[in-house]
Amino acid sequence: MGLDEGDFLIGASITDGRHDVMLFSDGGKAVRFDENDVRPMGRTARGVIGMKLAKDKKLISLLVAEDENDFVLTATENGFGKRTSITEYTRHARATQGMIAIQTSERNGRVVAATLVKPDDEIMLITTGGVLIRTRVKEIRAMSRSTQGVTLINLDKGETLIGLEKVAETDNDEEISA
């Protein structure tokens, strides 16, 4: 089997053999497959194709689906995003281009982050202008996979969203801005 430019390789195990792997591209696509579809390999092996990427697209996230009650939070460079139940990402074969995770458009721009969250989690949004905003995940509307999402952060002209991180600890005494 030959590899084409843009194919993403999977070759190392990061789970216990009972979960699914989810890969997300900056083009708004996602693929979910059983981790057992990737055979064990030696350190020097090249791996197997996890997701076929279009020529100008990049892989932005690898998630391990452990709890079907989780949500996937996706965010785009123009400050839009959404949370979608992990159950909407159905299992398919690896080495495909995947299914739509979030609509990419001129309005949204490319996808910059995808992470697993629970409604009680908090996240930090990070912009190119150095702005950090902390918000509760439950304040972000749950939506279906193929929608464009809602505004996560208002950006100044020329500014883009570059990252989203789950907050490790919460302090219930602090006031959190939305």
Side-chain angles (χ1 to χ4, degrees), residues 81-111:
K82 64 179 178 169
R83 67 181 166 106
T84 303
S85 173
I86 200 170
T87 59
E88 289 204 32
Y89 295 89
T90 55
R91 184 184 289 171
H92 293 280
R94 61 175 182 75
T96 64
Q97 287 189 6
M99 62 191 104
I100 295 171
I102 187 170
Q103 291 283 336
T104 55
S105 61
E106 189 174 324
R107 170 193 176 245
N108 280 0
R110 66 183 176 81
V111 181

Side-chain angles (χ1 to χ4, degrees), residues 18-84:
R18 300 181 315 216
H19 303 296
D20 287 345
V21 173
M22 298 177 75
L23 302 173
F24 291 81
S25 78
D26 65 352
K29 298 283 187 114
V31 64
R32 178 179 180 176
F33 57 90
D34 186 314
E35 69 177 295
N36 293 303
D37 290 349
V38 179
R39 64 189 175 277
M41 297 176 207
R43 181 180 53 81
T44 59
R46 289 187 60 177
V48 297
I49 298 170
M51 180 180 203
K52 287 200 176 265
L53 297 170
K55 192 171 188 98
D56 61 337
K57 302 302 177 200
K58 296 178 182 162
L59 188 80
I60 59 155
S61 187
L62 179 149
L63 306 175
V64 177
E66 297 179 26
D67 184 353
E68 293 294 310
N69 295 316
D70 283 350
F71 288 85
V72 175
L73 181 61
T74 51
T76 66
E77 66 185 347
N78 293 339
F80 296 94
K82 64 179 178 169
R83 67 181 166 106
T84 303

Side-chain angles (χ1 to χ4, degrees), residues 3 6 12 22 27 30 40 43 63 66 79 92 95 101 103 116 120 144 151 153 161 170 177:
L3 298 175
M22 298 177 75
R43 181 180 53 81
L63 306 175
E66 297 179 26
H92 293 280
Q103 291 283 336
L116 291 172
D120 292 336
S144 67
T151 302
I153 186 171
L161 184 66
T170 61
S177 64

Side-chain angles (χ1 to χ4, degrees), residues 71-76 79-83 113-126 131-141 150-153 161 163-170 174 176-178:
F71 288 85
V72 175
L73 181 61
T74 51
T76 66
F80 296 94
K82 64 179 178 169
R83 67 181 166 106
T115 191
L116 291 172
V117 294
K118 295 184 183 314
D120 292 336
D121 289 339
E122 294 177 0
I123 58 162
M124 291 290 281
L125 300 167
I126 306 151
V131 175
L132 298 172
I133 300 236
R134 184 174 177 169
T135 190
R136 294 178 187 97
V137 168
K138 64 184 166 194
E139 293 175 3
I140 301 168
R141 193 168 74 179
V150 296
T151 302
L152 296 178
I153 186 171
L161 184 66
L164 174 154
E165 289 295 326
K166 194 164 35 169
V167 176
E169 293 181 17
T170 61
E174 287 185 4
I176 301 168
S177 64

